[in-house]
Amino acid sequence: MNFSIYATGLMMGLSLIVAIGAQNAFILRQGLRNEHVFAVCLACALSDAVLIVLGVTSLQQIARFMPWLDPVMRYGGAAFLAWYGTKSLYSAFRSSATLSAAEAKTSSFRQTLATCLALTWLNPHVYLDTVVLLGTISTRYPEQQVSFAAGAVTGSFLFFFSLGYGATWLRPIFSKPSSWRMLETVVAFTMWIIAFKLLGGM
């Protein structure tokens, strides 16, 4: 294990997932609700780990044998994100004056996990960051790609669990219904912006 390359993978992995996106917005909301936080963080981290390893080991083969995957993932992901954004905005408008973090627990474990996995695996940006970008960067370190991948995977676990459980510090702010409505609105527009970018091929 080469520590310097491990650290490079760690920093690269963190830099690619820090920006608020569909997946991170969902984790933040689950953390604020204290709803299935461990399962959501673990699902996202494990999914990232699988995709990172896939990118480091198989990027060139994937691009050569599956040229149709990009448009399928782009349009399918855009449709899902547009639907999820609409759902979030509807939730913002129908929030009552008595909404609280405790009362927001409405999703079952199965529903929450299914949504989490859909936001991860149906979002082409996840593949761009983990498979394409990290896979490409790892080629700079021949014979040391295991160290790079291990660092990037560690970054994913650190970030997702920090985001999910760190959200508890914000819970007093979100005891107000106006804060929940604002969060839902931000989530909605985040989903729509990402969907628009996917349709534009960005």
Side-chain angles (χ1 to χ4, degrees):
M1 178 72 71
N2 187 307
F3 181 76
S4 64
I5 296 177
Y6 172 87
T8 300
L10 174 64
M11 296 308 298
M12 289 303 304
L14 286 173
S15 67
L16 289 175
I17 60 176
V18 162
I20 292 296
Q23 191 182 48
N24 295 346
F26 181 76
I27 294 173
L28 177 62
R29 187 168 62 174
Q30 292 304 117
L32 289 169
R33 292 180 172 184
N34 195 27
E35 183 181 62
H36 312 304
V37 179
F38 180 82
V40 167
C41 294
L42 183 62
C44 289
L46 288 177
S47 295
D48 253 25
V50 170
L51 292 171
I52 289 168
V53 172
L54 187 66
V56 170
T57 60
S58 310
L59 176 61
Q60 294 178 343
Q61 292 86 342
I62 293 172
R64 185 165 61 248
F65 290 109
M66 303 178 70
W68 50 266
L69 185 62
D70 176 69
V72 169
M73 291 303 303
R74 190 188 328 149
Y75 291 113
F80 176 80
L81 292 171
W83 169 81
Y84 192 86
T86 302
K87 180 173 176 287
S88 295
L89 192 63
Y90 173 76
S91 177
F93 279 116
R94 71 182 177 86
S95 296
S96 69
T98 59
L99 181 64
S100 67
E103 294 167 342
K105 300 178 184 178
T106 57
S107 299
S108 68
F109 175 79
R110 181 177 297 180
Q111 290 173 326
T112 300
L113 189 60
T115 300
C116 175
L117 293 175
L119 287 171
T120 300
W121 292 91
L122 293 181
N123 185 357
H125 278 211
V126 173
Y127 295 88
L128 176 64
D129 289 346
T130 55
V131 178
V132 178
L133 293 181
L134 289 178
T136 301
I137 294 170
S138 71
T139 61
R140 301 177 185 175
Y141 308 103
E143 308 302 326
Q144 296 293 340
Q145 291 172 309
V146 172
S147 298
F148 181 87
V153 168
T154 301
S156 292
F157 273 84
L158 286 175
F159 177 78
F160 288 131
F161 278 92
S162 297
L163 180 63
Y165 285 99
T168 56
W169 295 98
L170 300 174
R171 202 170 294 151
I173 298 174
F174 285 89
S175 62
K176 300 177 181 179
S178 59
S179 297
W180 278 102
R181 286 194 290 268
M182 185 177 298
L183 176 65
E184 295 285 10
T185 302
V186 169
V187 169
F189 280 97
T190 298
M191 303 299 176
W192 287 342
I193 289 170
I194 297 173
F196 179 77
K197 288 182 177 180
L198 289 179
L199 291 176
M202 297 178 65

